[in-house]
Amino acid sequence: MIAARDEDRYFTPEEYFAWEEKQLEKHELINGRVYGMTGGTQNHSAIKLNIGSLIKAHLRGSKCRVFNSDLKVNIFTTRNYTYPDLSVTCDRRDREHSLYITYPCLIVEVLSDSTEAYDRGKKFEKYRQNPNLVDYVLVSSDEMAVDIYHKNEAGEWVIMSYRSGEQVELKSIGLNVPIEQFYEDVIFEPQS
């Protein structure tokens, strides 16, 4: 989740890494500017943990690795760095850097009112430039709803939407699960 810009100066990635190491909060680097990350809700946290646990168990013993929002993703061919809620890489080149990965095949963002437009728009525009990315998963924290932007074999991005009672398919890692498993122990506020 992005908040307001924190610093009024431009950072190189090297300056950003050194500066952020001394900060109490996480910051994304976009076009040389740092943006502080805000906290999430109980639903946001529970959903992220549920999905991460499902993916971790599914990938156990494989060459793929799942990461939470503590690890940065370098936006492919840029000097920008973000903190998605979850990311998965199966690319051995991502073992070269301890602070970030560059070649995720799967990225998950749990949506909030303040970030949904950015996550669906400009953030996805940046992420989809990566030739390794196959699934970009957007998960509602207000209702049982998952949208997956999936890159098909023709290289076209298609959207797949899932609701209550359906099986969510993460083609990038070969995982099919009932959507209800993403929302275990999540309590939705009544819609007004």
Side-chain angles (χ1 to χ4, degrees), residues 29-138:
L29 179 68
I30 306 294
N31 299 326
R33 300 285 190 162
V34 294
Y35 295 85
M37 304 296 293
T38 62
T41 63
Q42 286 187 27
N43 281 0
H44 188 278
S45 181
I47 292 165
K48 193 166 68 167
L49 182 59
N50 288 341
I51 298 169
S53 297
L54 289 165
I55 292 172
K56 177 73 173 171
H58 176 71
L59 294 177
R60 187 163 282 119
S62 76
K63 65 175 183 160
C64 301
R65 300 169 72 198
V66 60
F67 297 101
N68 67 16
S69 58
D70 288 336
L71 185 72
K72 298 174 201 58
V73 169
N74 171 226
I75 304 295
F76 192 72
T77 69
T78 74
R79 295 165 61 87
N80 296 329
Y81 296 83
T82 63
Y83 282 102
D85 287 317
L86 294 166
S87 57
V88 174
T89 182
C90 302
D91 194 304
R92 45 189 295 232
R93 292 174 289 181
D94 278 327
R95 295 185 183 261
E96 296 172 8
H97 304 282
S98 63
L99 297 177
Y100 61 89
I101 62 171
T102 304
Y103 307 99
C105 62
L106 170 67
I107 291 176
V108 177
E109 294 286 3
V110 179
L111 302 173
S112 66
D113 291 340
S114 63
T115 64
E116 183 167 359
Y118 175 66
D119 288 341
R120 289 186 184 279
K122 295 226 179 265
K123 198 171 208 181
F124 178 50
E125 184 180 309
K126 291 175 177 55
Y127 283 147
R128 71 178 176 226
Q129 303 307 312
N130 191 324
N132 285 48
L133 186 64
V134 175
D135 288 320
Y136 180 56
V137 183
L138 300 175

Side-chain angles (χ1 to χ4, degrees), residues 5-18:
R5 188 168 71 206
D6 273 10
E7 291 283 320
D8 212 20
R9 58 174 270 220
Y10 286 92
F11 286 79
T12 67
E14 297 73 27
E15 291 169 333
Y16 159 68
F17 294 142

